[in-house]
Amino acid sequence: MARVALVTGGSRGIGAAISKALKQAGHTVAATYAGNDDAARAFTEETGIQTYKWSVADYDACAAGIRRIEEELGPIDILVNNAGITRDAMFHKMTPQQWKEVIDTNLTGLFNMTHPVWSGMRDRKYGRIVNISSINGQKGQAGQANYSAAKAGDLGFTKALAQEGARAGITVNAICPGYIGTEMVRAIDEKVLNERIIPQIPVGRLGEPEEIARCVVFLASEDAGFITGSTISANGGQFVV
Ligand SMILES: NC(=O)c1ccc[n+]([C@@H]2O[C@H](COP(=O)([O-])OP(=O)(O)OC[C@H]3O[C@@H](n4cnc5c(N)ncnc54)[C@H](OP(=O)(O)O)[C@@H]3O)[C@@H](O)[C@H]2O)c1
């Protein structure tokens, strides 16, 4: 059945692949972004998918944006919490600002986006929530105390909410991508990528955004109704939980 899907950070990187795959699966997709208007415009021109600009770190903006999308497209049955940022620094150099920005976006953003759609999903007795966490939330990563904490928090959020949503037909799951070849990862120094990161990935390559998107499409489908509170690790064998 075609449903309305909202993908945060859905105009670039992994989120863009998720938006396109959900559209391909027959859903009506809305994609949000934070500030890169050019990328959002190009994405809409290429895909026909409508984009909406606000920060997931701002609760009131999330509530207003979601209201607008529901008025324009209908009730949101699928929410993909994908928007995320990095502000890397070794802990002794990490500033309170770097900590706060990452927690506000990567962890509190999930509360801000999920809270306004939750009542509607409960009333309709149907919902699919997919949270994009990270391998570094599972194993921790030096230089990413802020990011690892937020992404581990996303997994706790997923497991708690899955228990609350189960009787209301709402599933809540997480995906932990390993290193995927998006701008976020390609921004890493090429020498570090080729000599230190890729050799740690047993399949011998970065993942493709579409490989994460296909996991999302499955978890967002009616077929996945018995899967809730779970985490899919999509990391090329780099970290086996
Ligand atoms: N790439 C990887 O290897 C990897 C691995 C593990 C997990 N992840 C996770 O996967 C997700 C997507 O990563 P990516 O590599 O595709 O990132 P990306 O290419 O940098 O794209 C990030 C997207 O999120 C949006 N965004 C950032 N902050 C936002 C905010 N406050 N409010 C709304 N939207 C915001 C960006 O909007 P603008 O276009 O306006 O900037 C952009 O659309 C993130 O949660 C990331 O932590 C990525």
Side-chain angles (χ1 to χ4, degrees), residues 110-139:
L110 270 63
F111 174 85
N112 293 344
M113 286 298 301
T114 307
H115 202 249
V117 300
W118 190 250
S119 297
M121 288 181 176
R122 277 168 51 92
D123 291 346
R124 296 189 299 279
K125 296 267 178 287
Y126 187 87
R128 294 282 182 266
I129 295 171
V130 183
N131 299 320
I132 308 300
S133 175
S134 169
I135 183 176
N136 291 344
Q138 294 173 300
K139 71 173 186 59

Side-chain angles (χ1 to χ4, degrees), residues 117-239:
V117 300
W118 190 250
S119 297
M121 288 181 176
R122 277 168 51 92
D123 291 346
R124 296 189 299 279
K125 296 267 178 287
Y126 187 87
R128 294 282 182 266
I129 295 171
V130 183
N131 299 320
I132 308 300
S133 175
S134 169
I135 183 176
N136 291 344
Q138 294 173 300
K139 71 173 186 59
Q141 176 60 46
Q144 291 196 321
N146 49 3
Y147 184 87
S148 299
K151 292 296 185 179
D154 293 344
L155 299 180
F157 176 77
T158 299
K159 291 172 191 175
L161 214 55
Q163 294 175 40
E164 291 193 27
R167 288 293 167 97
I170 308 169
T171 68
V172 189
N173 292 291
I175 298 172
C176 285
Y179 285 89
I180 309 299
T182 62
E183 277 174 49
M184 188 187 264
V185 164
R186 303 234 182 252
I188 298 171
D189 182 78
E190 202 171 336
K191 198 167 149 64
V192 174
L193 206 53
N194 289 331
E195 292 177 14
R196 290 192 23 213
I197 293 179
I198 293 177
Q200 290 175 28
I201 305 173
V203 302
R205 63 172 176 84
L206 298 176
E208 297 296 333
E210 292 73 21
E211 294 182 297
I212 305 305
R214 287 195 288 274
C215 298
V216 174
V217 169
F218 174 61
L219 290 174
S221 71
E222 285 168 39
D223 285 346
F226 201 58
I227 302 173
T228 194
S230 73
T231 300
I232 295 182
S233 297
N235 61 31
Q238 187 181 353
F239 184 69

